[in-house]
Amino acid sequence: MKSKPRFRIDGELREETALPHVWSRCIGAGRANEALRADWQRQLAEVVAATGVEYLRFHGVFHDDMFVYRDSYGGGFGPDAPLPSPVYTFGYVDKVFDFLLDLGVRPFVELGFMPRALATQTETVFWWGAHCSPPKDMARWVELVERTVEHWIGRYGPDEVRQWRFEVWNEPNLVPHFWTGTKTEYFELYEHTVRAIKAIDPALKVGGPATSVFVPDDRYKGETEDRSAALATAAATDVDALDWRPVWIEDFIAWCAERHLPIDFVSAHLYPTDFAYGANGEAVHITRYADATYDDLTLLRKLVQNSPYPEAEIHITEWSTSPSARDFIHDTPFAATSITRSYLKCATLADSISYWTFTDVFEEGGAGIGPFHGGFGLVNEGGIHKPTFHAFRMLGRLGDRLLLSTPDGVVTRDSRTSAVSAVFFNYPEDMAMKGVAARGSYPATRALAELGPGRRIRHSIGGLRPGGTFLVEILDWEHGNAAEAWYRLGSPLNLSRAEHDHLGGVADSLLRYTLTVPDDGVLDLDVELAPWAVMSLTQAA
């Protein structure tokens, strides 16, 4: 048997541990209908090729613009004659799912929102008017779920669909936006949905409750949100000293256990932020400390392990530096460094942490205003790479075996090829334990560039092949920062073709150079990283 290579890091023979690529397990997108756009599809293909993303989650598979549930002919001229019974058509959905599977990406299916014909309230959220209510008729909802799942099994086969995940709804605790019912009504929706899916095939994986963030107060303890319970949080002088807890998770687990309902996975959204309502009724945007995601995941993992469902997977089905699609931090290197730090720290704590989202083709509030408007995407609407795209690409190059972990990065080995790779970053000491707070304009983000100091990264990697080469790539304020280049152009809302091409070139102009392994097989790495820099070290083929 061929022995695996042993590498010395900083003169020591290192024992390997697993490094799950939690960042590439799943990623988010806006809604199903957007996936019919050619530019959306091109951008996803590029992101998948660069990062190795395995699953995609999005809203609205049952929204009216996908035309799954039909109770009338919808002719468009004259009376819209009703059908004698609902008709289920999957033409649009098939186009989306066929594209994903042909690309090598599996759907992480969010079951929602309610078709208009089944909704008790309509157009409750988003520019596109999602219907986020309990069904008028639970039996019709169950039939919709059954027909849909049976269609997917018939089209793609049971072995394929058993690899998917079925998440019941999205953020039902956010009443009246994403759910107009009560907590118990959501639990009842889960009960009927999971029983229906498991009756089709017990091997299909179903979970929830897909609730938003953690909170340190009782606003979600009752059947509906009590905003007055968040007054103390909004007024707290030290929010990081509060006891932040998950929303509905414990109640959801207890409800399911009492009724012997299966939970294949527990899902939640762990944005390291909060919108607490103050005495004047206005939402106070709270940014938590830099390790909030790590601590929240540690607590969530403990709760699941100590529950009646200790084997349940943990999926964070939305995560970013903030839940705002108009947070200009998302366009900057500051976001890239922040997410790199969190992903590496949290890699072993969840089965997936799904970044929200891969693209700025995202219409919850309508299309963004301008090419850089604080959208969630790794790429902007025109396909220009943001710094976060490069952070994901660098993380995707890491191996699956961890050789060295430091507060500033990791050194890894690929178990298939034994190639060594590393990612290092400089999350500025001036930030101490602070998280990266949202900003409402691009100029408001720029002060962070003045933070410091620089950070010297020095390591030796022994046991390498003499003469081998490594590629160094560095993303920082001066390299790969397209939003800053756009700002220096005067922040034009509508780019010319020449401006678009220029910004695309800036976006991909990272600092790059190669290092050669000397005759003794020891690569000495000595790099000064500017504040907010992210660096990749990759062994050449």
Side-chain angles (χ1 to χ4, degrees), residues 158-406:
D159 291 342
E160 172 58 39
V161 180
R162 286 170 187 158
Q163 304 301 313
W164 301 4
R165 303 294 184 274
F166 294 91
E167 184 180 40
V168 181
W169 216 255
N170 173 77
E171 297 186 350
N173 61 297
L174 294 185
V175 176
H177 304 296
F178 290 106
W179 182 246
T180 65
T182 65
K183 180 194 299 186
T184 297
E185 285 177 313
Y186 167 74
F187 291 167
E188 290 170 347
L189 185 82
Y190 180 85
E191 178 175 4
H192 284 87
T193 304
V194 72
R195 290 192 189 282
I197 293 174
K198 292 293 188 177
I200 295 170
D201 185 344
L204 298 177
K205 295 180 173 61
V206 188
T211 44
S212 67
V213 300
F214 278 37
V215 298
D217 49 56
D218 292 339
R219 77 189 81 162
Y220 298 115
K221 290 292 186 182
E223 283 293 287
T224 58
E225 182 180 2
D226 176 12
R227 291 185 175 182
S228 65
L231 290 174
T233 301
T237 56
D238 184 4
V239 295
D240 292 333
L242 302 177
D243 182 22
W244 296 79
R245 304 283 298 181
V247 172
W248 286 14
I249 300 294
E250 292 154 291
D251 291 347
F252 172 71
I253 290 173
W255 169 278
C256 292
E258 182 179 341
R259 289 158 180 78
H260 306 290
L261 300 175
I263 301 176
D264 294 308
F265 62 88
V266 171
S267 65
H269 302 164
L270 293 189
Y271 294 105
T273 59
D274 182 38
F275 289 94
Y277 290 89
N280 59 3
E282 294 183 1
V284 178
H285 193 171
I286 294 169
T287 299
R288 298 172 61 199
Y289 57 104
D291 287 335
T293 297
Y294 176 84
D295 288 345
D296 288 351
L297 267 174
T298 300
L299 173 59
L300 180 59
R301 188 177 180 88
K302 182 178 180 181
L303 289 174
V304 172
Q305 289 177 337
N306 292 335
S307 79
Y309 303 92
E311 301 303 317
E313 298 172 349
I314 296 174
H315 292 288
I316 307 308
T317 50
E318 288 186 25
W319 179 80
S320 184
T321 55
S322 82
S324 170
R326 299 296 182 266
D327 174 6
F328 286 78
I329 287 292
H330 293 146
D331 299 332
T332 68
F334 318 131
T337 314
S338 178
I339 67 170
T340 299
R341 180 183 185 276
S342 291
Y343 269 130
L344 291 176
K345 192 173 181 68
C346 299
T348 61
L349 296 180
D351 293 277
S352 71
I353 303 176
S354 179
Y355 191 74
W356 191 251
T357 59
F358 84 86
T359 176
D360 278 357
V361 177
F362 182 90
E363 298 176 342
E364 289 186 358
I369 299 175
F372 294 99
H373 56 265
F376 292 114
L378 303 179
V379 297
N380 83 343
E381 186 179 343
I384 296 172
H385 300 152
K386 298 184 189 180
T388 49
F389 174 89
H390 293 295
F392 263 81
R393 189 172 55 82
M394 292 176 179
L395 289 168
R397 289 175 171 176
L398 290 174
D400 58 333
R401 305 299 297 174
L402 187 64
L403 299 174
L404 175 71
S405 178
T406 79

Side-chain angles (χ1 to χ4, degrees), residues 371-372 380 384 486 489 491-501 503:
F372 294 99
N380 83 343
I384 296 172
W486 168 73
L489 287 176
S491 306
L493 290 184
N494 300 290
L495 300 178
S496 68
R497 284 190 168 186
E499 288 170 334
H500 183 276
D501 291 345
L503 294 177

Side-chain angles (χ1 to χ4, degrees), residues 397-537:
R397 289 175 171 176
L398 290 174
D400 58 333
R401 305 299 297 174
L402 187 64
L403 299 174
L404 175 71
S405 178
T406 79
D408 307 321
V410 298
V411 180
T412 70
R413 181 182 73 87
D414 189 310
S415 63
R416 298 164 300 172
T417 65
S418 289
V420 172
S421 56
V423 166
F424 294 100
F425 56 87
N426 181 357
Y427 191 84
E429 292 179 9
D430 289 358
M431 292 292 288
M433 287 294 290
K434 296 178 184 176
V436 180
R439 301 292 197 280
S441 70
Y442 180 76
T445 70
R446 299 179 76 245
L448 291 176
E450 303 300 321
L451 299 181
R455 181 164 300 158
R456 192 174 184 184
I457 303 296
R458 299 185 67 186
H459 294 288
S460 66
I461 306 173
L464 300 172
R465 177 177 59 83
T469 58
F470 283 78
L471 173 65
V472 175
E473 290 191 330
I474 298 177
L475 166 76
D476 59 21
W477 182 254
E478 299 296 335
H479 302 91
N481 191 356
E484 177 63 14
W486 168 73
Y487 175 77
R488 293 173 183 175
L489 287 176
S491 306
L493 290 184
N494 300 290
L495 300 178
S496 68
R497 284 190 168 186
E499 288 170 334
H500 183 276
D501 291 345
H502 167 69
L503 294 177
V506 170
D508 293 334
S509 294
L510 277 59
L511 176 62
R512 294 182 174 91
Y513 57 89
T514 59
L515 299 174
T516 301
V517 180
D519 292 342
D520 62 1
V522 178
L523 181 70
D524 289 316
L525 187 65
D526 189 350
V527 180
E528 184 75 17
L529 291 184
W532 302 108
V534 184
M535 166 192 160
S536 171
L537 178 74

